[in-house]
Amino acid sequence: MTRIDDKFHELRELNRKAFVAYIMAGDPNYEKSREIALGLPDAGVDIIELGLPFTDPMADGPTIQLAGQRALASGQTLEKTLRLASEIRRAHPKTPIVLMGYYNPIYSRGVDRFLDELGDAGADGMIIVDLPPEEDQELCIPAIEAGFNFIRLATPTTDDKRLPAVLRNTSGFVYYVSITGITGAGSASAAEIAPDVKRIQAASKLPVCVGFGIKSPDDAKATASVSDGAVVGSSIVSLIQNGKSTDEILAFAGRLAEGAHEA
């Protein structure tokens, strides 16, 4: 059992859906992202996703791409992201922390070293968007063997033939991307999402959380009503981009969390 498993067990006991919030580590700088990250659990966030800044984020839309550029310009590194994870862990011992990004920075650091440091930081898992199941020996299998959750993305194009491969070594939860394309590109209705979520749930015992296109508390509630939780990134990151205060950002995250929890 990991912290992620424990969190979903706790939420089931409360008859509550999960709310997962994404921020880019180091955006717009280390201190501001630290302030926001440390405040997310008290705002109602169940799981924190920390983005790993990368120079070629091919799956991300303009909002997340710009966040990564701001973070890199401010001097954010993988080492600093691991430090941020460790600060969250010290402040919030039970909140799951997931690193989300691309394989290149991990490969450059070395998989064994990265996993050792990830454990020291107290993180719980990862979402690496550019490593398909065919490449599981690169990072997925070593991560699982080291005790981490490896969370996989499923999409509207993940058909019944492909789904078993996607689920094979997935743990923690399945992240269902509700639309095809890049982050922040659009949205899908709960009615459109529901059949695929049910299909994934039928094929796996894992919770299914849905992300992409959730912009309001009502969106979060509607999405969580047909899944095990809602994931929000671009809508939060856009407030950071617009220079909103930490209090304003956390208040918005809190409203989104309330929406998901009410589902």
Side-chain angles (χ1 to χ4, degrees):
M1 294 285 286
T2 66
R3 290 186 190 89
I4 296 174
D5 298 325
D6 289 342
K7 176 58 67 175
F8 279 105
H9 176 75
E10 173 191 331
L11 291 167
R12 283 192 295 270
E13 291 292 308
L14 296 171
N15 195 29
R16 178 182 289 182
K17 304 299 180 67
F19 179 63
V20 184
Y22 169 100
I23 63 168
M24 180 68 72
D27 175 33
N29 53 58
Y30 186 89
E31 287 306 318
K32 181 66 175 283
S33 67
R34 175 183 178 275
E35 285 180 5
I36 296 166
L38 293 179
L40 289 173
D42 290 336
V45 172
D46 297 301
I47 299 172
I48 297 173
E49 286 182 9
L50 279 183
L52 297 170
F54 182 50
T55 54
D56 187 22
M58 59 186 179
D60 294 317
T63 299
I64 303 298
Q65 286 189 22
L66 289 170
Q69 291 174 16
R70 290 191 298 270
L72 292 170
S74 74
Q76 188 71 11
T77 61
L78 179 54
E79 184 175 357
K80 287 184 176 180
T81 301
L82 292 165
R83 186 198 311 167
L84 178 56
S86 70
E87 292 201 62
I88 299 169
R89 175 56 59 233
R90 285 195 296 271
H92 300 284
K94 294 183 179 180
T95 300
I97 304 167
V98 175
L99 268 61
M100 183 172 185
Y102 298 84
Y103 182 48
N104 184 275
I106 298 168
Y107 176 80
S108 297
R109 197 165 188 82
V111 167
D112 291 342
R113 179 184 178 187
F114 170 74
L115 293 175
D116 285 344
E117 293 174 333
L118 194 67
D120 291 343
D124 303 286
M126 64 200 78
I127 303 170
I128 307 300
V129 301
D130 56 346
L131 276 183
E134 290 75 16
E135 305 296 334
D136 274 358
Q137 291 297 333
E138 286 285 328
L139 177 61
C140 176
I141 300 302
I144 292 170
E145 291 174 347
F148 299 103
N149 289 126
F150 198 91
I151 297 154
R152 192 87 71 186
L153 302 176
T155 74
T157 61
T158 306
D159 60 19
D160 289 338
K161 183 178 180 180
R162 180 63 174 169
L163 186 59
V166 170
L167 296 175
R168 185 171 55 240
N169 291 315
T170 300
S171 61
F173 64 94
V174 179
Y175 186 149
Y176 179 66
V177 177
S178 63
I179 59 170
T180 56
I182 56 177
T183 58
S187 61
S189 69
E192 293 171 319
I193 295 165
D196 275 334
V197 170
K198 288 180 179 178
R199 183 168 60 91
I200 297 166
Q201 289 171 330
S204 170
K205 295 180 180 179
L206 294 171
V208 179
C209 294
V210 178
F212 284 46
I214 300 172
K215 298 178 173 63
S216 70
D218 286 343
D219 290 342
K221 182 176 181 178
T223 299
S225 72
V226 297
S227 67
D228 297 296
V231 186
V232 178
S234 294
S235 294
I236 295 172
V237 172
S238 66
L239 297 184
I240 300 171
Q241 177 179 331
N242 292 332
K244 299 297 184 182
S245 69
T246 299
D247 287 345
E248 289 173 305
I249 294 163
L250 294 176
F252 178 63
R255 292 192 294 273
L256 292 167
E258 287 176 7
H261 292 157
E262 289 173 358

